[in-house]
Amino acid sequence: MKRIPLLSTALIFLWFSTTAQDTLTLSRGQCEAIFLRENLSLIAGRLNIPMAEAEVKQASLWPNPQFTLDEINLWATRHQTGGEEVSPPIIGNWGRNQQYAVSLEQLIYTAGKRKKLMALQGVGVEKAQQYFNDLLRNLKLELRRQITELQYLQLSEQTFQTQLQSVNDLLSVYERQLEKGNIAATQVTRLQSKQFELQKELHELKQQNNEIQKELKQLLHLPPQTFLKLGSEQFERALTDETIPTYQALVSKASTNRPDYQLALLEKSYSEKSYSYEKALRTPDITVNGRYDRNGSTMLNFVGFGASIDLPLFNKNQGNIRKAELGIQQAKILSQQVLHNVETEVAASYKSLLNAHAFQKGIDPRYLQRLDQSLDAHTRNFLSKNINMLEYLDFLESYQQNKLSILDASRDLNNAVEEVNYASGTELIP
């Protein structure tokens, strides 16, 4: 069943306004809106943030005091009941010669351990946020790649459908001419061969479409029986030289926004706070207590106070302090490695973007229109016998390759834009 309660009013209307059974028509923007709201990995990953906040809350709590009731005697000895050491009752006539003790203990942290632990767990909250950002960043890239691929496959299908329709029309005419004996059977066979070839190409495209459908429905958490159809808008990016940022701007954005680099910096901060906390642990904590004892000593009602503390003669937490100290050095080295990786990825994606943009920019926008017009013209010329079968089939092959090359250029540019946005950790290029 469709998860209608989780969709907005606009998406509910869109859901029920689909014309074909189980067919859902969406734009790229609508896909992302559903993805952000419905993706189960994002929903689960987002819960890590309040979980980390709960750990900070737990670290802020003081340890509970310890209450002890002991030294209770259930009967009195003969010596006590002989009259020489008679204790008065506690309540009414009950509790004569009764003994018991009550104590209350409280552990008190020293050296600011509680605040240092809260600061340590606070870094955990920031790390949880960056882990979620990294998850979102990776899933967004996958989603957008799959959307681009599905658009590419759908547009490719249209190209092959156009050719197939042209061949079918010709084949219908030629079969009638064959029945009249006006043409040779080999000409019909050549067209049937081309028809089969186009049908095979369409079959393979539909298989690929089915695989992409599966991936997208998992990302969008759509019902399994839904057939997803995407609009062709935003497949061709209106990118200009002015809208492409500089390499330096991308590197600057990446060092600020890349979640993996921010996580590397947070690991360094975590190690520093861990070192501070481990150093604080070498200072012993103090336990204070108060005690009331009835009939436990020469005093009938004894009230006393005390305190206890570990003597740090052997264990001064030396090993954990040294480990935390080395952790700081390790985090520094790893953050430098991550930054180098970031800069390398930005440089590679930026170069790919420039190449893809230069290639698409070299395609004349009017060429695609002239190409479709040429298909109609060649079909008419073939019917009029102005060109022969070989020339017509050669043109169909050229038409197919050129149409796919233009679609390839748009797909490559789309993917290059997303790679740059992914590498920089932000969406500098819309």
Side-chain angles (χ1 to χ4, degrees):
M1 293 180 64
K2 297 177 175 67
R3 302 177 69 248
I4 293 173
L6 294 180
L7 297 175
S8 65
T9 304
L11 292 177
I12 292 174
F13 174 77
L14 178 65
W15 193 290
F16 285 102
S17 64
T18 54
T19 56
Q21 185 180 5
D22 293 326
T23 297
L24 184 61
T25 303
L26 297 173
S27 66
R28 292 180 73 102
Q30 288 167 335
C31 284
E32 291 210 18
I34 296 176
F35 162 76
L36 293 173
R37 192 179 186 94
E38 300 290 318
N39 184 270
L40 296 182
S41 296
L42 288 182
I43 294 172
R46 193 178 285 113
L47 293 176
N48 288 325
I49 300 172
M51 288 168 65
E53 291 171 346
E55 292 181 358
V56 177
K57 176 65 177 177
Q58 185 62 36
S60 70
L61 303 176
W62 283 95
N64 292 324
Q66 183 179 20
F67 173 80
T68 305
L69 174 64
D70 61 359
E71 298 185 13
I72 301 173
N73 63 319
L74 302 178
W75 56 81
T77 64
R78 285 184 296 174
H79 181 68
Q80 289 175 303
T81 58
E84 296 180 6
E85 298 182 11
V86 177
S87 300
I90 299 173
I91 301 174
N93 290 323
W94 178 83
R96 191 182 303 278
N97 298 321
Q98 187 75 45
Q99 178 183 346
Y100 64 89
V102 176
S103 65
L104 190 66
E105 293 185 352
Q106 176 65 55
L107 176 66
I108 299 177
Y109 293 136
T110 60
K113 293 187 184 72
R114 189 171 66 92
K115 290 184 177 180
K116 288 180 171 63
L117 182 59
M118 288 174 62
L120 187 64
Q121 298 294 357
V123 178
V125 176
E126 296 180 64
K127 288 173 66 176
Q129 180 65 59
Q130 292 301 332
Y131 276 123
F132 175 75
N133 291 342
D134 199 44
L135 173 66
L136 176 61
R137 168 174 164 262
N138 283 281
L139 288 178
K140 266 190 174 181
L141 177 65
E142 182 181 354
L143 172 73
R144 291 171 177 177
R145 280 176 173 172
Q146 301 291 6
I147 289 174
T148 296
E149 189 64 22
L150 184 55
Q151 286 181 314
Y152 172 81
L153 291 175
Q154 290 178 168
L155 291 170
S156 297
E157 282 186 42
Q158 292 177 17
T159 297
F160 283 100
Q161 288 286 6
T162 300
Q163 294 178 75
L164 182 60
Q165 184 61 50
S166 178
V167 171
N168 286 341
D169 292 342
L170 285 174
L171 188 57
S172 177
V173 172
Y174 266 59
E175 284 176 340
R176 290 195 299 268
Q177 293 296 318
L178 178 62
E179 293 173 358
K180 296 177 181 179
N182 295 332
I183 59 173
T186 55
Q187 291 184 300
V188 174
T189 304
R190 290 287 301 273
L191 285 175
Q192 287 176 330
S193 175
K194 187 62 178 179
Q195 180 190 50
F196 178 75
E197 178 187 329
L198 293 172
Q199 289 172 339
K200 181 176 179 296
E201 294 282 357
L202 278 169
H203 169 71
E204 293 176 355
L205 286 173
K206 290 181 186 298
Q207 290 294 98
Q208 296 175 46
N209 188 313
N210 185 56
E211 188 63 27
I212 297 298
Q213 291 271 338
K214 181 191 74 173
E215 300 293 334
L216 273 174
K217 282 184 283 190
Q218 289 175 350
L219 286 169
L220 302 179
H221 197 219
L222 294 174
Q225 296 302 319
T226 302
F227 181 80
L228 190 59
K229 185 176 180 181
L230 299 182
S232 60
E233 67 277 2
Q234 295 181 303
F235 180 71
E236 295 183 9
R237 295 284 181 116
L239 200 62
T240 64
D241 294 334
E242 291 72 24
T243 57
I244 298 178
T246 63
Y247 169 72
Q248 289 75 17
L250 289 172
V251 170
S252 176
K253 285 291 184 180
S255 62
T256 305
N257 295 284
R258 276 279 292 256
D260 51 349
Y261 181 58
Q262 294 305 310
L263 279 168
L265 296 179
L266 286 172
E267 285 293 343
K268 178 184 173 185
S269 176
Y270 186 87
S271 297
E272 291 169 348
K273 287 179 170 53
S274 177
Y275 175 69
S276 176
Y277 177 67
E278 295 295 345
K279 284 180 64 178
L281 287 178
R282 67 185 178 184
T283 303
D285 296 325
I286 299 174
T287 302
V288 296
N289 64 79
R291 182 179 181 84
Y292 167 75
D293 194 333
R294 174 185 167 84
N295 265 338
S297 64
T298 56
M299 300 176 62
L300 175 61
N301 296 304
F302 171 79
V303 178
F305 301 93
S308 64
I309 186 172
D310 290 340
L311 297 179
L313 299 179
F314 308 110
N315 182 0
K316 299 181 181 179
N317 206 34
Q318 302 97 315
N320 288 333
I321 291 173
R322 178 57 179 163
K323 178 183 176 182
E325 190 176 18
L326 292 173
I328 296 175
Q329 298 177 25
Q330 184 185 58
K332 288 180 179 178
I333 295 171
L334 291 177
S335 65
Q336 293 172 0
Q337 177 63 41
V338 172
L339 180 59
H340 180 264
N341 293 344
V342 167
E343 292 174 346
T344 303
E345 289 176 14
V346 170
S349 63
Y350 187 69
K351 183 66 175 177
S352 296
L353 174 64
L354 294 180
N355 290 338
H357 175 57
F359 179 72
Q360 193 193 51
K361 190 169 62 172
I363 299 174
D364 187 349
R366 297 167 297 180
Y367 176 66
L368 189 60
Q369 182 180 2
R370 290 198 296 265
L371 199 59
D372 290 330
Q373 292 171 350
S374 295
L375 176 62
D376 295 335
H378 275 72
T379 302
R380 290 193 304 270
N381 285 328
F382 180 57
L383 286 172
S384 302
K385 298 184 179 181
N386 294 327
I387 59 175
N388 59 34
M389 175 76 71
L390 182 60
E391 289 174 321
Y392 178 71
L393 293 179
D394 282 346
F395 173 78
L396 280 185
E397 187 68 26
S398 175
Y399 173 85
Q400 174 184 317
Q401 291 177 356
N402 280 274
K403 289 281 284 190
L404 291 180
S405 294
I406 293 172
L407 291 177
D408 285 341
S410 295
R411 179 180 61 176
D412 292 346
L413 182 61
N414 250 314
N415 288 334
V417 168
E418 297 305 336
E419 285 290 343
V420 167
N421 287 337
Y422 176 81
S424 62
T426 185
E427 299 188 7
L428 277 177
I429 306 175

